[in-house]
Amino acid sequence: MLKNKLNLSLFLVLFGSLGLHAQSADFKLDPGQSMLMFGKGPGQDATINPFEGSDCYAIVKNRGKVPFSIRIQQKGTLIETLPIGGKETKKVKLLKGYELYLDTTSGKKAKARVEYA
């Protein structure tokens, strides 16, 4: 009986905490490219937000030296645009229904990592 309770407890701790960890994805952005990261739905998002349907944070890291910008929209309406310099990291709050885009404006490729928490 005690063994079963311990096994159940271990199972709940291991698998119940999976949704609490951020998931990440790395991307290369071509010159002049805009990429939807999250917000339009299956088949259109470049990243998987494990917190879909609720507010969360996106942690965007510029993995290179080329600056780019983070754009937040909701149903086509611009909410906020944030520049992100080389090797910089920004944490952005995404409310339910927000769309996250990464935009490059320079003539060089940019590198980005996106995590959700």
Side-chain angles (χ1 to χ4, degrees):
M1 183 80 164
L2 180 60
K3 184 178 177 182
N4 287 342
K5 286 184 181 183
L6 288 175
N7 286 339
L8 179 60
S9 297
L10 180 61
F11 177 82
L12 291 173
V13 168
L14 289 176
F15 292 102
S17 64
L18 286 178
L20 301 177
H21 297 286
Q23 298 188 14
S24 65
D26 293 326
F27 296 92
K28 290 183 182 177
L29 303 167
D30 291 328
Q33 181 179 12
S34 291
M35 183 181 288
L36 171 66
M37 303 312 293
F38 178 77
K40 289 287 187 180
Q44 297 180 25
D45 295 338
T47 61
I48 297 170
N49 181 348
F51 306 102
E52 181 179 4
S54 62
D55 298 350
C56 69
Y57 288 93
I59 298 107
V60 180
K61 180 176 184 177
N62 186 334
R63 298 190 65 225
K65 296 178 182 178
V66 177
F68 59 88
S69 63
I70 302 166
R71 178 168 35 107
I72 310 297
Q73 289 188 192
Q74 184 177 34
K75 296 180 181 177
T77 300
L78 179 65
I79 304 297
E80 183 175 18
T81 301
L82 301 165
I84 183 164
K87 301 294 182 183
E88 188 176 1
T89 300
K90 293 207 175 179
K91 185 175 183 178
V92 181
K93 184 163 186 168
L94 296 176
L95 300 180
K96 181 179 176 181
Y98 277 16
E99 301 162 6
L100 173 68
Y101 293 83
L102 300 183
D103 302 318
T104 61
T105 54
S106 72
K108 299 178 183 177
K109 285 189 176 188
K111 297 177 190 175
R113 170 175 280 172
V114 178
E115 299 178 358
Y116 297 97

